[in-house]
Amino acid sequence: MTTYTALPLPATAHKELCATDDAGRPAAPFTAREDGVPLDAVGSPLRCCLRDVRAGERVALVSYAPLRRWADATGAQPGAYDEQGPVFVHAEPCGGPDAAAGRYPAVRAGALRVLRRYNARGEIVGGRLLEVPGDAPAAFDAALGEAFADPEVALVHVRAVEYGCFHFEVRRP
């Protein structure tokens, strides 16, 4: 079985988003609080290090366009498939995921995810709905194996169904 790696947003993108997000707005960092003031963030996933926001951390909710940034680096032309959406990031560089963490970000059983498949041109070439079971790593391995069985698939974006938020990216091994 191939081992897939969940990729956080790149460090360069993180640094840029902490200044100005992909919608052109300045970042507005805040301290995450248990009471949800100024924004309910505790427990939300951080895309810079692939773990949940903890109380007391400085974070920002920014607009992120992962396919656009990938396309800029590869020369792809996603056209209408380019999209942006809200993600939480640390307000300062954080060093990325913990090497001791699992291969996929923690997710509760029953969460709904869509795995969108993109080709090398940045076009959507398929997708799959995944209701996360108790054994999330096995389910993601199977869904990603299914995606990469198609030789046209260059990368997969995992997003929340409820809000459409980007969670992580997996590239062809």
Side-chain angles (χ1 to χ4, degrees), residues 43-58:
S44 295
L46 288 157
R47 287 9 176 267
C48 50
C49 59
L50 301 180
R51 68 162 176 79
D52 291 346
V53 174
R54 298 174 185 145
E57 290 186 301
R58 295 284 296 161

Side-chain angles (χ1 to χ4, degrees), residues 39-107:
L39 185 63
D40 190 17
V42 172
S44 295
L46 288 157
R47 287 9 176 267
C48 50
C49 59
L50 301 180
R51 68 162 176 79
D52 291 346
V53 174
R54 298 174 185 145
E57 290 186 301
R58 295 284 296 161
V59 297
L61 181 62
V62 298
S63 184
Y64 178 51
L67 190 63
R68 179 184 317 158
R69 287 176 174 270
W70 172 82
D72 288 347
T74 64
Q77 298 291 320
Y81 296 104
D82 178 33
E83 61 184 305
Q84 62 191 34
V87 296
F88 284 101
V89 296
H90 278 116
E92 298 290 331
C94 65
D98 181 349
R103 286 184 294 121
Y104 305 110
V107 63

